[in-house]
Amino acid sequence: MRLLTLRMSEGWSAYVSSQKPRIARLLSLGCLLLLGQFGQAQVVINEIFPNGTVELKNITDSTVNVANYWLCDFPDYQRISNSNLACGTTNLPAGAILTVDDFMTIDPADGEMGLYINGSFNQASSIIDYVEWGSTGHGRASVATAAGIWTNGDFAPAFSMGESLEYDGMGDASTDWAATGSPTVCDENSNAPVCDVEGGSIELEIGGTSTSICVDGIGDPLGVTVSGSSGPIGQWIITDDANTILVPSANPPFDFDGAGTGTCLIWYIRYESGLMGNMMGNNLSDLTGCFDLSNPVTVIREEADGGTVNLEGGGNSASICVDGIADPLTIEHQTDAPNLTYNYVITDDVNTILAISTSNIIDLDGAGTGVCRVWGWSYRGLNANDFLNRPLQDLQDADCSDISEDFVEVIREAADGGTVNLEGGGNSVSICVDGIAD
């Protein structure tokens, strides 16, 4: 399947033709042949010169190794790896051009050129591109027709010694080829179509291109702005973080609270009429037509998760000496909501909130003797001071708020020498020093 040049710009962009006539012909050959050709049509013949120069172009978005591909102007054949390359490499990058300049002499008045992925020249599954000019019925025309990449009886115009035969990037008909007196060796063809659209750049109204929301049943509408875009038609697309289309057409402000946890990407697209592939379940890489995508805005959807807490090095219990000398304890936590705020709640042993710390280094020496508990708190949009001296359960019940599953217990004690006395009472006794134990 011939595709137009893939034009990458800032963000995602492409310019790909929608080959409806070609697809119809392929369908008539049966599903097996259709799948085979779609998997192979990665490189096309781009320009042909009378002096034995042939230009190929990679029309995909990934590198293709063409070392074992063959050129055919029946009855002459030549393997790419055995050819002299005027430019390009056999490991052909996306959108790149490779030019062979030592193919057998090409007759500009009447001839053909086929491109094969292997040396099975009579097999339709092996030929991936073809053109004939000057007349019809050349040696490999029937193979190309069987492969669905050429129409029986069709032929491109002849060209002269000072010209080249250029492909316009549009399809597989003779009308997609034209003789030109301005050959473009190793460069884009002069008749290549131009896609003049710009997706522009987008950002959140609050600034930046990434944010997180709390999935708690309360809406979190996000405004997004676009700048620098141009083109006839514009719309918003929502995908997951693998670029699978979730919502083909959307309008800001965007509220993803009901989508559950995960990550969404917001895109803006500008395109010309004829865009195909923009449907739920497709990937952005399935889009075809003249279009350009903006950069994405990333929205991370999280539920509050207090997770678990423990002392640095392990354990959930410690005792400190209340003596005016600091006894800092380092608390570690684990949470599944790393983008939400995480603080540490200090309660007494009946879970009344005494203090809330933004630091994980906790010093309770000044609190006097007793027992404290240190909890993890995951939340967004709450004022910690509103919860002081209230039950811990109030935090658990608040919107977008979750307390850790466990706590670190801190026992605060002061040194106490106590009292002493002799067994039986009294605080004084005398002994006889006579060598006999007393």
Side-chain angles (χ1 to χ4, degrees):
M1 180 178 181
R2 272 196 184 273
L3 302 177
L4 289 178
T5 302
L6 186 69
R7 186 177 65 85
M8 300 302 291
S9 64
E10 184 175 349
W12 288 68
S13 60
Y15 190 16
V16 185
S17 66
S18 57
Q19 299 295 300
K20 292 182 180 179
R22 171 71 186 281
I23 292 172
R25 294 198 301 271
L26 286 173
L27 287 172
S28 70
L29 297 174
C31 292
L32 181 60
L33 179 56
L34 175 65
L35 292 173
Q37 291 303 315
F38 270 47
Q40 297 167 355
Q42 300 172 323
V43 178
V44 298
I45 302 167
N46 197 51
E47 194 168 4
I48 301 169
F49 305 81
N51 64 352
T53 297
V54 181
E55 191 175 85
L56 305 181
K57 185 172 183 179
N58 179 357
I59 60 172
T60 71
D61 58 359
S62 59
T63 298
V64 179
N65 191 316
V66 299
N68 293 324
Y69 285 25
W70 289 76
L71 294 173
C72 168
D73 181 4
F74 185 85
D76 297 320
Y77 305 91
Q78 187 164 308
R79 193 174 181 176
I80 301 298
S81 60
N82 296 331
S83 303
N84 185 65
L85 303 186
C87 62
T89 172
T90 54
N91 208 31
L92 195 58
I97 289 173
L98 174 152
T99 302
V100 171
D101 65 0
D102 63 343
F103 191 74
M104 294 74 173
T105 300
I106 295 170
D107 182 359
D110 189 26
E112 66 176 345
M113 185 60 63
L115 180 63
Y116 286 80
I117 61 172
N118 56 46
S120 299
F121 302 114
N122 62 345
Q123 297 296 314
S125 59
S126 296
I127 191 169
I128 59 171
D129 203 18
Y130 180 83
V131 60
E132 60 179 337
W133 62 90
S135 68
T136 187
H138 292 86
R140 295 306 178 190
S142 60
V143 180
T145 300
I149 59 175
W150 195 251
T151 300
N152 185 41
D154 199 10
F155 61 94
F159 55 108
S160 68
M161 289 301 296
E163 297 179 322
S164 69
L165 189 63
E166 280 191 340
Y167 173 56
D168 67 2
M170 297 299 293
D172 288 318
S174 62
T175 52
D176 296 309
W177 292 88
T180 176
S182 302
T184 54
V185 181
C186 297
D187 202 355
E188 291 292 346
N189 291 347
S190 59
N191 62 349
V194 176
C195 179
D196 188 17
V197 294
E198 293 291 339
S201 61
I202 61 174
E203 68 174 3
L204 294 160
E205 286 184 349
I206 59 176
T209 57
S210 180
T211 190
S212 64
I213 65 168
C214 187
V215 178
D216 58 359
I218 299 174
D220 297 276
L222 298 171
V224 185
T225 61
V226 59
S227 61
S229 68
S230 63
I233 309 170
Q235 70 184 59
W236 299 88
I237 298 175
I238 310 299
T239 73
D240 63 14
D241 54 0
N243 297 332
T244 299
I245 298 172
L246 305 176
V247 183
S249 179
N251 293 296
F254 303 104
D255 186 0
F256 300 112
D257 187 84
T261 59
T263 300
C264 280
L265 301 179
I266 303 171
W267 306 81
Y268 188 70
I269 185 173
R270 279 284 187 177
Y271 61 95
E272 293 181 355
S273 179
L275 178 70
M276 298 179 66
N278 184 24
M279 61 186 65
M280 185 183 300
N282 275 3
N283 195 277
L284 289 181
S285 61
D286 297 322
L287 297 178
T288 63
C290 173
F291 71 92
D292 188 52
L293 283 163
S294 70
N295 61 289
V297 163
T298 302
V299 181
I300 302 168
R301 312 182 312 273
E302 295 179 304
E303 290 180 333
D305 176 40
T308 60
V309 292
N310 58 266
L311 289 163
E312 183 181 33
N316 287 81
S317 180
S319 63
I320 64 171
C321 183
V322 179
D323 56 2
I325 300 173
D327 295 278
L329 298 172
T330 301
I331 311 297
E332 297 177 335
H333 74 270
Q334 298 79 40
T335 178
D336 288 333
N339 295 285
L340 298 185
T341 304
Y342 201 94
N343 284 342
Y344 300 88
V345 180
I346 302 163
T347 72
D348 59 17
D349 56 358
V350 293
N351 295 339
T352 298
I353 298 172
L354 305 176
I356 297 175
S357 174
T358 59
S359 172
N360 70 324
I361 300 176
I362 309 294
D363 183 12
L364 300 173
D365 185 86
T369 59
V371 177
C372 282
R373 294 171 175 174
V374 182
W375 307 77
W377 179 30
S378 171
Y379 71 99
R380 169 155 295 168
L382 298 175
N383 186 343
N385 292 331
D386 292 341
F387 293 89
L388 296 178
N389 301 313
R390 290 168 57 178
L392 184 68
Q393 188 63 39
D394 288 357
L395 284 183
Q396 186 64 47
D397 294 341
D399 295 324
C400 192
S401 178
D402 189 54
I403 297 299
S404 59
E405 300 171 5
D406 54 4
F407 57 86
V408 171
E409 183 179 67
V410 182
I411 303 168
R412 312 182 315 275
E413 297 178 300
D416 179 17
T419 61
V420 295
N421 60 267
L422 290 165
E423 184 179 21
N427 290 86
S428 178
V429 68
S430 66
I431 64 170
C432 180
V433 180
D434 57 4
I436 300 172
D438 298 283

